[in-house]
Coordinates of all heavy atoms in Angstrom, one line a residue:
M1 N 71.5 99.0 -12.2 CA 72.6 99.3 -11.3 C 72.8 98.1 -10.4 O 71.9 97.6 -9.8 CB 72.3 100.6 -10.6 CG 73.3 101.0 -9.6 SD 72.9 102.4 -8.7 CE 74.4 103.3 -8.8
R2 N 74.1 97.7 -10.3 CA 74.4 96.6 -9.4 C 74.8 97.1 -8.0 O 75.4 98.2 -7.9 CB 75.6 95.8 -10.0 CG 75.2 95.0 -11.2 CD 76.3 94.2 -11.7 NE 76.5 93.1 -10.7 CZ 77.5 92.2 -10.7 NH1 78.4 92.3 -11.6 NH2 77.5 91.3 -9.8
R3 N 74.4 96.3 -7.0 CA 74.8 96.6 -5.7 C 76.3 96.2 -5.5 O 76.7 95.2 -6.0 CB 74.0 95.9 -4.6 CG 72.6 96.4 -4.5 CD 72.0 95.7 -3.3 NE 70.6 95.9 -3.2 CZ 69.8 95.3 -2.4 NH1 70.3 94.4 -1.5 NH2 68.6 95.5 -2.4
P4 N 77.0 96.9 -4.6 CA 78.4 96.5 -4.3 C 78.3 95.1 -3.6 O 77.3 94.9 -2.8 CB 78.9 97.6 -3.4 CG 78.0 98.7 -3.6 CD 76.7 98.2 -4.1
H5 N 79.3 94.3 -3.8 CA 79.3 93.0 -3.1 C 79.2 93.1 -1.6 O 78.5 92.2 -1.0 CB 80.6 92.2 -3.5 CG 80.8 90.9 -2.9 ND1 80.0 89.8 -3.3 CD2 81.6 90.4 -2.0 CE1 80.3 88.8 -2.5 NE2 81.3 89.1 -1.8
G6 N 79.8 94.0 -1.0 CA 79.8 94.2 0.5 C 78.4 94.4 1.0 O 78.0 93.9 2.1
T7 N 77.5 95.2 0.3 CA 76.2 95.4 0.7 C 75.4 94.1 0.7 O 74.6 93.9 1.6 CB 75.5 96.5 -0.2 OG1 76.3 97.6 -0.2 CG2 74.1 96.8 0.3
T8 N 75.5 93.3 -0.3 CA 74.8 92.0 -0.4 C 75.2 91.1 0.8 O 74.3 90.5 1.4 CB 75.1 91.3 -1.7 OG1 74.8 92.2 -2.8 CG2 74.3 90.1 -1.9
V9 N 76.5 91.0 1.1 CA 76.9 90.2 2.2 C 76.4 90.7 3.5 O 75.9 90.0 4.3 CB 78.5 90.1 2.2 CG1 79.0 89.5 3.5 CG2 79.0 89.4 1.0
L10 N 76.4 92.1 3.7 CA 75.9 92.7 4.9 C 74.4 92.4 5.1 O 73.9 92.0 6.2 CB 76.2 94.2 4.9 CG 75.8 94.9 6.1 CD1 76.5 94.4 7.4 CD2 76.0 96.4 6.0
T11 N 73.6 92.5 4.0 CA 72.2 92.3 4.0 C 71.9 90.8 4.4 O 71.1 90.5 5.2 CB 71.5 92.6 2.7 OG1 71.8 94.0 2.4 CG2 70.0 92.4 2.7
A12 N 72.7 89.9 3.8 CA 72.5 88.5 4.0 C 72.9 88.1 5.5 O 72.2 87.3 6.2 CB 73.3 87.6 3.1
S13 N 73.9 88.7 6.0 CA 74.3 88.5 7.4 C 73.3 89.0 8.4 O 73.0 88.4 9.3 CB 75.7 89.2 7.7 OG 76.7 88.7 6.9
A14 N 72.7 90.2 8.1 CA 71.7 90.7 9.0 C 70.5 89.8 9.0 O 69.9 89.6 10.0 CB 71.3 92.1 8.5
L15 N 70.1 89.3 7.8 CA 68.9 88.4 7.7 C 69.2 87.1 8.5 O 68.3 86.7 9.2 CB 68.6 88.1 6.3 CG 67.4 87.2 6.0 CD1 66.1 87.8 6.6 CD2 67.2 87.0 4.5
L16 N 70.3 86.6 8.4 CA 70.7 85.3 9.1 C 70.7 85.6 10.6 O 70.1 84.8 11.3 CB 72.1 84.9 8.6 CG 72.6 83.6 9.3 CD1 71.6 82.4 9.0 CD2 74.0 83.3 8.8
C17 N 71.2 86.7 11.0 CA 71.2 87.0 12.5 C 69.8 87.1 13.0 O 69.4 86.6 14.1 CB 72.0 88.2 12.8 SG 73.8 88.0 12.6
A18 N 68.9 87.8 12.2 CA 67.5 88.0 12.7 C 66.8 86.6 12.8 O 66.1 86.4 13.7 CB 66.8 88.9 11.7
L19 N 67.1 85.7 11.8 CA 66.5 84.4 11.9 C 67.0 83.6 13.1 O 66.2 82.9 13.7 CB 66.7 83.6 10.6 CG 66.0 84.1 9.4 CD1 66.5 83.4 8.1 CD2 64.5 84.0 9.5
L20 N 68.2 83.7 13.3 CA 68.8 82.9 14.5 C 68.3 83.5 15.8 O 68.0 82.7 16.7 CB 70.3 83.0 14.5 CG 71.0 82.2 13.4 CD1 72.5 82.5 13.4 CD2 70.8 80.7 13.5
L21 N 68.2 84.8 15.9 CA 67.7 85.4 17.2 C 66.2 85.0 17.4 O 65.7 84.9 18.5 CB 67.9 86.9 17.2 CG 69.3 87.3 17.4 CD1 69.4 88.8 17.2 CD2 69.9 86.9 18.7
A22 N 65.4 84.9 16.3 CA 64.0 84.6 16.5 C 63.8 83.2 17.0 O 62.8 82.9 17.7 CB 63.3 84.7 15.1
G23 N 64.8 82.3 16.8 CA 64.7 80.9 17.4 C 65.3 80.7 18.7 O 65.5 79.6 19.2
C24 N 65.6 81.8 19.4 CA 66.3 81.7 20.7 C 65.3 81.9 21.9 O 65.8 82.3 23.0 CB 67.4 82.8 20.8 SG 68.8 82.4 19.7
A25 N 64.1 81.7 21.7 CA 63.1 81.8 22.8 C 63.4 80.7 23.8 O 63.9 79.6 23.5 CB 61.7 81.7 22.2
E26 N 63.1 81.0 25.0 CA 63.3 80.0 26.1 C 62.4 78.8 25.9 O 61.2 78.9 25.6 CB 62.9 80.6 27.5 CG 63.2 79.8 28.6 CD 62.9 80.4 29.9 OE1 63.0 81.7 30.0 OE2 62.5 79.7 30.9
P27 N 63.0 77.6 25.9 CA 62.3 76.3 25.7 C 61.3 76.0 26.8 O 61.5 76.5 28.0 CB 63.3 75.3 25.5 CG 64.5 75.8 26.3 CD 64.4 77.3 26.2
D28 N 60.3 75.2 26.5 CA 59.4 74.7 27.6 C 60.1 73.8 28.5 O 61.1 73.2 28.1 CB 58.2 74.0 26.9 CG 57.3 74.9 26.1 OD1 57.4 76.1 26.3 OD2 56.5 74.4 25.3
R29 N 59.7 73.7 29.7 CA 60.3 72.8 30.7 C 59.5 71.6 30.9 O 58.3 71.6 30.8 CB 60.5 73.5 32.1 CG 61.4 74.7 32.0 CD 61.6 75.3 33.4 NE 60.5 75.2 34.4 CZ 59.6 76.2 34.6 NH1 59.6 77.2 33.8 NH2 58.7 76.0 35.5
T30 N 60.1 70.4 31.2 CA 59.4 69.2 31.5 C 59.8 68.7 32.9 O 61.0 68.7 33.2 CB 59.7 68.1 30.5 OG1 59.5 68.6 29.2 CG2 58.9 66.9 30.7
E31 N 58.8 68.4 33.7 CA 59.1 68.0 35.1 C 58.3 66.7 35.4 O 57.2 66.5 34.9 CB 58.7 69.1 36.1 CG 59.5 70.3 36.0 CD 59.0 71.4 37.0 OE1 58.0 71.1 37.7 OE2 59.7 72.4 37.1
I32 N 58.8 65.9 36.3 CA 58.1 64.8 36.9 C 57.4 65.4 38.2 O 58.1 66.0 39.0 CB 59.0 63.6 37.3 CG1 59.6 63.1 36.0 CG2 58.2 62.6 38.0 CD1 60.6 62.0 36.3
V33 N 56.1 65.2 38.3 CA 55.4 65.7 39.5 C 54.7 64.5 40.2 O 54.2 63.5 39.5 CB 54.3 66.8 39.1 CG1 55.1 68.0 38.6 CG2 53.4 66.3 38.0
T34 N 54.5 64.6 41.5 CA 53.8 63.6 42.3 C 52.8 64.3 43.1 O 53.1 65.4 43.6 CB 54.7 62.7 43.1 OG1 55.4 63.5 44.1 CG2 55.8 62.0 42.3
W35 N 51.7 63.7 43.4 CA 50.6 64.2 44.3 C 49.7 63.1 44.7 O 49.8 62.0 44.3 CB 49.8 65.3 43.5 CG 49.0 64.8 42.4 CD1 47.7 64.4 42.5 CD2 49.4 64.5 41.1 NE1 47.2 64.0 41.3 CE2 48.3 64.0 40.4 CE3 50.6 64.6 40.4 CZ2 48.3 63.6 39.1 CZ3 50.6 64.2 39.0 CH2 49.5 63.7 38.4
T36 N 48.9 63.4 45.7 CA 47.9 62.5 46.2 C 46.6 63.0 45.8 O 46.2 64.2 46.0 CB 48.0 62.4 47.8 OG1 49.3 62.1 48.2 CG2 47.0 61.4 48.3
D37 N 45.8 62.1 45.1 CA 44.5 62.6 44.6 C 43.4 62.5 45.7 O 43.7 62.1 46.9 CB 44.1 61.8 43.4 CG 43.7 60.4 43.6 OD1 43.7 59.9 44.8 OD2 43.4 59.7 42.6
E38 N 42.2 62.9 45.4 CA 41.1 62.9 46.4 C 40.7 61.6 46.9 O 40.0 61.5 47.9 CB 39.9 63.6 45.8 CG 39.2 63.0 44.6 CD 39.8 63.4 43.2 OE1 40.9 64.1 43.2 OE2 39.3 63.0 42.2
H39 N 41.2 60.5 46.3 CA 40.9 59.1 46.7 C 42.0 58.5 47.6 O 41.9 57.4 48.0 CB 40.6 58.2 45.5 CG 39.5 58.7 44.6 ND1 38.2 58.7 45.0 CD2 39.6 59.2 43.4 CE1 37.5 59.2 44.0 NE2 38.3 59.6 43.1
G40 N 43.1 59.3 47.8 CA 44.2 58.8 48.6 C 45.2 58.1 47.8 O 46.1 57.4 48.4
R41 N 45.1 58.1 46.5 CA 46.1 57.4 45.6 C 47.3 58.3 45.4 O 47.2 59.5 45.3 CB 45.5 57.0 44.3 CG 44.3 56.1 44.4 CD 43.7 55.8 43.0 NE 43.2 57.0 42.4 CZ 42.7 57.1 41.2 NH1 42.5 56.0 40.5 NH2 42.3 58.2 40.7
A42 N 48.5 57.6 45.4 CA 49.7 58.3 45.0 C 49.8 58.4 43.5 O 49.7 57.3 42.9 CB 50.9 57.6 45.6
C43 N 50.0 59.6 43.0 CA 50.0 59.8 41.5 C 51.3 60.4 41.0 O 51.9 61.2 41.8 CB 48.9 60.7 41.1 SG 47.2 60.0 41.5
T44 N 51.7 60.0 39.9 CA 52.9 60.5 39.2 C 52.5 60.9 37.8 O 51.8 60.2 37.2 CB 54.1 59.5 39.2 OG1 54.3 59.1 40.5 CG2 55.3 60.1 38.5
G45 N 53.1 62.0 37.3 CA 52.8 62.5 35.9 C 53.9 63.3 35.4 O 54.9 63.6 36.1
V46 N 53.9 63.6 34.1 CA 54.9 64.4 33.5 C 54.2 65.7 33.1 O 53.2 65.8 32.4 CB 55.4 63.7 32.2 CG1 56.4 64.7 31.5 CG2 56.1 62.4 32.5
A47 N 54.7 66.8 33.6 CA 54.2 68.2 33.4 C 55.1 68.9 32.4 O 56.3 69.0 32.6 CB 54.1 68.9 34.7
V48 N 54.4 69.4 31.3 CA 55.1 70.3 30.4 C 54.7 71.7 30.7 O 53.5 72.0 30.7 CB 54.8 69.9 28.9 CG1 55.5 70.9 28.0 CG2 55.1 68.5 28.6
I49 N 55.7 72.5 31.1 CA 55.4 73.9 31.5 C 55.8 74.9 30.4 O 56.9 74.9 29.9 CB 56.2 74.2 32.8 CG1 55.8 73.2 33.9 CG2 55.9 75.7 33.2 CD1 56.8 73.1 34.9
D50 N 54.8 75.6 29.9 CA 54.9 76.6 28.8 C 55.8 77.7 29.3 O 55.5 78.3 30.3 CB 53.6 77.0 28.3 CG 53.6 77.9 27.1 OD1 54.7 78.5 26.8 OD2 52.6 77.9 26.4
S51 N 56.9 78.0 28.6 CA 57.8 79.0 29.0 C 57.2 80.4 28.8 O 57.7 81.4 29.5 CB 59.1 79.0 28.2 OG 58.8 79.2 26.8
E52 N 56.2 80.6 28.0 CA 55.6 81.9 27.8 C 54.7 82.4 28.9 O 54.7 83.5 29.4 CB 54.9 82.0 26.5 CG 55.8 81.9 25.3 CD 55.1 82.0 24.0 OE1 53.9 82.3 24.0 OE2 55.7 81.7 23.0
D53 N 53.8 81.4 29.4 CA 52.8 81.8 30.4 C 52.8 80.9 31.6 O 51.9 81.0 32.4 CB 51.5 81.9 29.8 CG 51.0 80.6 29.2 OD1 51.7 79.6 29.3 OD2 49.9 80.6 28.5
D54 N 53.8 80.0 31.8 CA 53.9 79.0 32.9 C 52.6 78.1 33.0 O 52.4 77.6 34.1 CB 54.1 79.7 34.2 CG 55.6 80.2 34.3 OD1 56.4 79.6 33.6 OD2 55.8 81.1 35.1
D55 N 51.9 78.0 31.9 CA 50.7 77.0 31.9 C 51.3 75.6 31.9 O 52.3 75.3 31.3 CB 49.9 77.3 30.6 CG 48.6 76.5 30.6 OD1 48.0 76.3 31.7 OD2 48.2 76.1 29.5
R56 N 50.6 74.7 32.7 CA 51.1 73.3 32.8 C 50.1 72.4 32.1 O 48.9 72.5 32.2 CB 51.1 72.9 34.3 CG 52.3 73.5 35.0 CD 52.3 73.0 36.5 NE 53.5 73.4 37.1 CZ 54.1 72.7 38.0 NH1 53.7 71.5 38.4 NH2 55.2 73.2 38.5
E57 N 50.6 71.4 31.5 CA 49.9 70.3 30.9 C 50.5 69.0 31.4 O 51.6 68.7 31.2 CB 49.9 70.3 29.4 CG 49.1 69.3 28.7 CD 49.2 69.3 27.2 OE1 49.4 70.4 26.6 OE2 49.1 68.2 26.6
V58 N 49.7 68.2 32.2 CA 50.2 67.0 32.8 C 49.7 65.8 32.0 O 48.5 65.7 31.6 CB 49.7 66.9 34.2 CG1 50.2 65.6 34.9 CG2 50.1 68.1 35.1
T59 N 50.6 65.0 31.6 CA 50.3 63.8 30.8 C 51.0 62.6 31.5 O 51.8 62.7 32.4 CB 50.8 63.9 29.4 OG1 52.3 64.0 29.4 CG2 50.2 65.0 28.6
G60 N 50.7 61.4 31.0 CA 51.3 60.2 31.5 C 51.0 59.9 33.0 O 51.9 59.5 33.7
I61 N 49.8 60.2 33.4 CA 49.4 60.1 34.8 C 49.3 58.6 35.2 O 48.6 57.8 34.5 CB 48.1 60.8 35.0 CG1 48.3 62.3 34.7 CG2 47.6 60.6 36.5 CD1 47.0 63.1 34.8
D62 N 49.9 58.2 36.3 CA 49.8 56.9 36.8 C 49.5 57.0 38.3 O 50.3 57.6 39.0 CB 51.1 56.1 36.6 CG 51.1 54.7 37.1 OD1 50.0 54.1 37.0 OD2 52.1 54.2 37.5
C63 N 48.4 56.4 38.7 CA 48.0 56.5 40.1 C 47.8 55.1 40.7 O 47.2 54.2 40.0 CB 46.6 57.3 40.3 SG 46.7 59.0 39.8
D64 N 48.2 54.9 41.9 CA 48.1 53.6 42.6 C 47.8 53.9 44.1 O 48.3 54.8 44.6 CB 49.3 52.7 42.5 CG 49.5 52.1 41.1 OD1 48.5 51.6 40.6 OD2 50.7 52.2 40.6
Y65 N 47.0 53.0 44.7 CA 46.8 53.1 46.1 C 48.1 52.6 46.8 O 48.8 51.7 46.3 CB 45.7 52.2 46.6 CG 44.3 52.8 46.3 CD1 43.6 52.3 45.2 CD2 43.8 53.8 47.0 CE1 42.4 52.8 44.9 CE2 42.6 54.4 46.7 CZ 41.9 53.9 45.6 OH 40.7 54.4 45.3
P66 N 48.5 53.3 47.9 CA 49.7 52.9 48.6 C 49.6 51.5 49.2 O 48.4 51.0 49.4 CB 49.9 53.9 49.7 CG 48.6 54.5 49.9 CD 47.9 54.4 48.6
P67 N 50.7 50.8 49.5 CA 50.5 49.5 50.1 C 49.8 49.6 51.5 O 49.8 50.6 52.1 CB 52.0 49.0 50.3 CG 52.8 49.9 49.4 CD 52.0 51.1 49.2
E68 N 49.2 48.5 51.9 CA 48.5 48.4 53.1 C 49.4 48.9 54.3 O 50.5 48.6 54.4 CB 48.0 47.0 53.4 CG 47.1 46.8 54.6 CD 45.7 47.5 54.2 OE1 45.3 47.4 53.1 OE2 45.1 48.0 55.1
G69 N 48.8 49.8 55.1 CA 49.5 50.4 56.2 C 50.5 51.5 55.9 O 51.2 52.0 56.8
R70 N 50.6 52.0 54.7 CA 51.4 53.1 54.3 C 50.6 54.2 53.8 O 49.5 54.1 53.3 CB 52.4 52.6 53.1 CG 53.2 51.4 53.3 CD 54.5 51.7 54.1 NE 55.2 52.8 53.7 CZ 56.4 52.8 53.1 NH1 56.9 51.6 52.8 NH2 57.0 53.9 52.8
Q71 N 51.2 55.4 53.9 CA 50.5 56.7 53.5 C 51.4 57.2 52.3 O 52.6 57.1 52.4 CB 50.5 57.7 54.6 CG 49.5 57.3 55.7 CD 48.1 57.3 55.3 OE1 47.7 58.1 54.5 NE2 47.3 56.3 55.8
P72 N 50.8 57.9 51.3 CA 51.6 58.5 50.3 C 52.4 59.6 50.9 O 52.1 60.2 51.9 CB 50.6 59.1 49.3 CG 49.2 58.5 49.7 CD 49.4 58.0 51.1
G73 N 53.6 59.9 50.3 CA 54.5 61.0 50.7 C 53.9 62.3 50.3 O 52.8 62.5 49.8
R74 N 54.7 63.3 50.6 CA 54.3 64.7 50.2 C 54.4 64.9 48.7 O 55.1 64.2 48.0 CB 55.2 65.7 51.0 CG 56.7 65.6 50.6 CD 57.5 66.6 51.4 NE 58.9 66.5 51.1 CZ 59.5 67.1 50.0 NH1 58.8 67.7 49.2 NH2 60.8 66.9 49.8
E75 N 53.7 66.0 48.3 CA 53.8 66.3 46.8 C 55.1 66.9 46.5 O 55.7 67.6 47.3 CB 52.7 67.4 46.5 CG 51.3 66.8 46.7 CD 50.3 67.9 46.3 OE1 50.6 68.9 45.7 OE2 49.1 67.6 46.5
T76 N 55.6 66.5 45.3 CA 57.0 66.9 44.9 C 56.9 67.2 43.4 O 56.0 66.8 42.7 CB 58.0 65.8 45.1 OG1 57.7 64.7 44.4 CG2 58.2 65.5 46.6
S77 N 57.9 67.9 42.9 CA 58.2 68.1 41.5 C 59.7 68.2 41.3 O 60.4 68.7 42.2 CB 57.4 69.3 40.9 OG 57.9 70.5 41.4
G78 N 60.1 67.8 40.2 CA 61.6 67.9 39.9 C 61.8 67.8 38.4 O 61.0 67.2 37.7
L79 N 62.9 68.4 37.9 CA 63.2 68.3 36.5 C 63.5 66.9 36.0 O 64.1 66.1 36.8 CB 64.4 69.2 36.2 CG 64.2 70.7 36.4 CD1 65.4 71.4 36.1 CD2 63.1 71.2 35.5
L80 N 63.0 66.6 34.8 CA 63.4 65.3 34.3 C 64.9 65.2 34.0 O 65.5 66.1 33.7 CB 62.6 65.1 32.9 CG 61.2 64.8 33.0 CD1 60.6 64.8 31.6 CD2 60.9 63.4 33.7
P81 N 65.4 64.0 34.2 CA 66.9 63.8 33.9 C 67.1 64.0 32.5 O 66.3 63.7 31.6 CB 67.2 62.4 34.4 CG 65.9 61.7 34.6 CD 64.8 62.8 34.7
D82 N 68.3 64.4 32.1 CA 68.7 64.6 30.7 C 69.0 63.2 30.1 O 69.3 62.3 30.6 CB 70.0 65.4 30.5 CG 69.6 66.9 30.9 OD1 68.5 67.3 30.6 OD2 70.6 67.6 31.4

């Protein structure tokens, strides 16, 4: 027995919609973060924030002592530019 053409199209459309919706999870965020470490160095890194549990992974860490007579600024974070 053959299925009517409309049923096949409906089934295919439902499957396509389900696949598209499965890929609509919120993406992870990437931020530039700065902080002062325990040695007084000003550090900058890239933090990837997991959208599911807000877990952070910091990579690309670069730390330098501030110039003579200067203090590092306050800790900050901000979204990376597009």
Side-chain angles (χ1 to χ4, degrees):
M1 175 181 228
R2 289 186 72 187
R3 286 189 193 174
H5 179 68
T7 305
T8 304
V9 171
L10 183 61
T11 303
S13 296
L15 181 59
L16 180 61
C17 287
L19 289 173
L20 289 173
L21 288 175
C24 291
E26 186 176 327
D28 293 344
R29 297 186 327 267
T30 305
E31 297 180 353
I32 296 175
V33 292
T34 62
W35 69 95
T36 303
D37 70 4
E38 64 271 9
H39 304 290
R41 298 179 299 181
C43 300
T44 302
V46 177
V48 178
I49 302 158
D50 189 332
S51 62
E52 293 179 11
D53 60 6
D54 285 338
D55 187 35
R56 286 182 173 215
E57 180 180 331
V58 180
T59 61
I61 298 172
D62 182 33
C63 297
D64 286 316
Y65 287 102
E68 192 67 36
R70 304 279 312 251
Q71 295 293 325
R74 63 181 178 79
E75 292 184 9
T76 62
S77 67
L79 296 176
L80 286 171
D82 290 329

